[in-house]
């Protein structure tokens, strides 16, 4: 039987997860490459053989997304899989139209084929857009669980910017761990507050391996989502944030609308800075698209630690 040649469009996150969970050991398909966008310097690298599995002893090449049309022809691609987040529905369909015009199918792989089941209770925190306030919400949830006597371990959405085979499964319990794994400023921004609160953080590339390691030391797993992606795991409680400062965008971005419709709890954040009209508009959208979700309103006050050091200073 002839295998189906596939390219996965991604940004060094869900694309790798989709491959690991759906394609890695799937004899029906031949993944001829990943295309990369959003992440600097990721193209030109390889998804290593240590992660790619027995069907890909040479690993899998990663190409810039701008080469996609040429790759479709050169590698006789029959399916293109779209697998990254925080992109408007309109832009997704522009990319789909480009692919379809060259002949292949354009596919999205859903939660049923990519969500891994945990042996421990698992709570996810996701959003309809990036920048809504997931991180502070995740920390609040962890504080609540810790106050109940639960050992919480957070698993963070991937940010694999370095050597992928060295980042299969990473554990962060101290600042020394951040140094050991050569974390970027972006990674430190996410991990340090958890560490300060006594929460161990796992991250990396292979989220089956990561989950099984995290389960060994957790009563509850907390999925700390990135961008507006939906969870890599089956959630026992799915918390999703919406942003009234960008009212209406909860149903115009991928896969944010998916999160909205999957949510058990929806948090309308930033009510201290949004106007009442936009808060009500967001509430109407929630009621229309997910009438069963519990709605919580939350403030997101801005504060600066040691603000006296910058008071009355100019930076331009």
């Amino acid at each position: 039987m002839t295998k189906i040649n596939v390219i996965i469009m991604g940004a060094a996150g869900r694309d790798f997860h989709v491959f690991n969970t759906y394609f890695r050991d799937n004899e029906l398909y031949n993944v001829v490459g990943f295309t990369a966008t959003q992440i600097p310097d990721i193209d030109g690298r390889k998804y290593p053989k240590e992660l790619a599995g027995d069907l890909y002893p040479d690993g899998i090449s990663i190409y810039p997304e701008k080469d996609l049309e040429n790759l479709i022809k050169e590698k006789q691609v029959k399916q293109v899989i779209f697998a990254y987040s925080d992109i408007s529905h309109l832009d997704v369909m522009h990319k789909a139209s480009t692919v379809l015009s060259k002949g292949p199918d354009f596919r999205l792989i859903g939660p049923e084929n990519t969500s891994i089941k945990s042996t421990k209770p698992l709570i996810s925190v996701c959003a309809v857009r990036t920048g809504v306030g997931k991180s502070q919400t995740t920390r609040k949830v962890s504080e609540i669980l810790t106050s109940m006597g639960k050992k919480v371990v957070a698993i963070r959405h991937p940010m694999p910017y370095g050597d992928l085979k060295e980042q299969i499964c990473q554990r962060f319990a101290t600042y020394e761990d951040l140094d050991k794994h050569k974390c970027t400023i972006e990674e430190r921004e996410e991990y340090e507050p958890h560490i300060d609160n006594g929460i161990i953080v796992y991250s990396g590339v292979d989220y089956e391996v990561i989950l099984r390691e995290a389960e060994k030391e957790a009563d509850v797993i907390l999925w700390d989502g990135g961008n507006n992606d939906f969870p890599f795991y089956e959630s026992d409680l799915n918390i999703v944030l919406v942003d009234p400062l960008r009212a209406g965008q909860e149903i115009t971005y991928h896969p944010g609308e998916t999160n909205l419709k999957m949510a058990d709890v929806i948090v309308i954040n930033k009510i201290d800075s949004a106007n009442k009209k936009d808060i009500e508009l967001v509430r109407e959208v929630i009621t229309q698209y997910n009438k069963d979700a519990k709605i919580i309103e939350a403030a997101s006050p801005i504060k600066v630690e040691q603000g006296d050091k910058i008071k009355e200073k100019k930076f331009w």
Side-chain angles (χ1 to χ4, degrees), residues 13 16-17 20 47 51 158 160 164 167-169 203-207 210:
F16 297 156
H17 182 67
N20 293 342
Y47 197 63
L51 279 157
L164 296 177
Q167 296 180 304
I168 292 172
C169 178
S203 188
V205 183
D206 192 321
Y207 277 78
I210 289 166

Side-chain angles (χ1 to χ4, degrees), residues 159-177:
M159 293 185 282
Y161 305 145
D163 185 337
L164 296 177
K165 64 178 178 291
E166 297 295 328
Q167 296 180 304
I168 292 172
C169 178
Q170 298 173 300
R171 180 183 184 274
F172 304 97
T174 66
Y175 279 26
E176 287 73 24
D177 293 331

Side-chain angles (χ1 to χ4, degrees), residues 253-268:
Y253 276 76
H254 173 79
E257 184 179 352
T258 300
N259 277 329
L260 184 79
K261 292 177 175 179
M262 290 172 61
D264 299 307
V265 176
I266 297 177
V267 178
I268 304 175

Side-chain angles (χ1 to χ4, degrees), residues 10-12 36-42 65 82-87 161 227:
T37 189
Q38 298 180 344
I39 306 299
D41 303 320
I42 187 70
E65 190 179 294
F82 185 85
Y84 60 92
S85 55
D86 206 37
I87 177 170
Y161 305 145
N227 280 350

Side-chain angles (χ1 to χ4, degrees), residues 229-280:
D229 206 353
F230 55 87
F232 287 13
Y233 302 124
E234 292 185 24
S235 304
D236 296 294
L237 180 68
N238 191 356
I239 302 169
V240 173
L241 280 80
V242 297
D243 187 352
L245 296 182
R246 290 174 284 181
Q249 293 187 13
E250 50 279 340
I251 53 170
T252 59
Y253 276 76
H254 173 79
E257 184 179 352
T258 300
N259 277 329
L260 184 79
K261 292 177 175 179
M262 290 172 61
D264 299 307
V265 176
I266 297 177
V267 178
I268 304 175
N269 200 18
K270 306 180 185 178
I271 61 165
D272 52 330
S273 51
N275 64 58
K276 185 176 179 181
K277 180 180 177 181
D278 287 334
I279 293 171
E280 289 308 311

Side-chain angles (χ1 to χ4, degrees), residues 110-237:
E112 186 171 322
N113 284 312
T114 59
S115 296
I116 303 167
K117 176 67 175 175
S118 177
T119 62
K120 299 292 179 71
L122 190 143
I123 299 172
S124 61
V125 178
C126 302
V128 298
R129 288 298 315 277
T130 192
V132 182
K134 296 182 301 295
S135 297
Q136 67 199 52
T137 305
T138 303
R139 292 194 291 271
K140 181 63 176 179
V141 172
S142 69
E143 289 172 7
I144 293 170
L145 291 168
T146 300
S147 71
M148 297 168 62
K150 304 297 183 182
K151 177 67 181 295
V152 179
V153 174
I155 300 181
R156 168 69 193 177
H157 189 276
M159 293 185 282
Y161 305 145
D163 185 337
L164 296 177
K165 64 178 178 291
E166 297 295 328
Q167 296 180 304
I168 292 172
C169 178
Q170 298 173 300
R171 180 183 184 274
F172 304 97
T174 66
Y175 279 26
E176 287 73 24
D177 293 331
L178 303 176
D179 295 334
K180 180 178 72 173
H181 291 291
K182 301 176 182 178
C183 288
T184 63
I185 291 175
E186 184 180 356
E187 290 171 305
R188 286 177 176 271
E189 179 185 36
E190 298 296 339
Y191 302 155
E192 287 182 5
H194 280 308
I195 292 171
D196 291 341
N197 290 339
I199 303 297
I200 293 168
V201 182
Y202 277 85
S203 188
V205 183
D206 192 321
Y207 277 78
E208 172 90 37
V209 173
I210 289 166
L211 179 61
R212 302 311 169 207
E213 288 300 313
E215 287 170 342
K216 294 176 182 178
E217 50 185 326
D219 298 319
V220 180
I221 303 290
L222 188 56
W223 170 252
D224 187 351
N227 280 350
N228 65 345
D229 206 353
F230 55 87
F232 287 13
Y233 302 124
E234 292 185 24
S235 304
D236 296 294
L237 180 68

Side-chain angles (χ1 to χ4, degrees), residues 14 23-24 40 45-46 78-79 124 155 167 186 268:
R14 175 160 291 278
F23 289 104
R24 180 160 55 193
R45 295 161 60 189
K46 273 199 168 187
K78 300 302 181 185
Q79 292 187 10
S124 61
I155 300 181
Q167 296 180 304
E186 184 180 356
I268 304 175

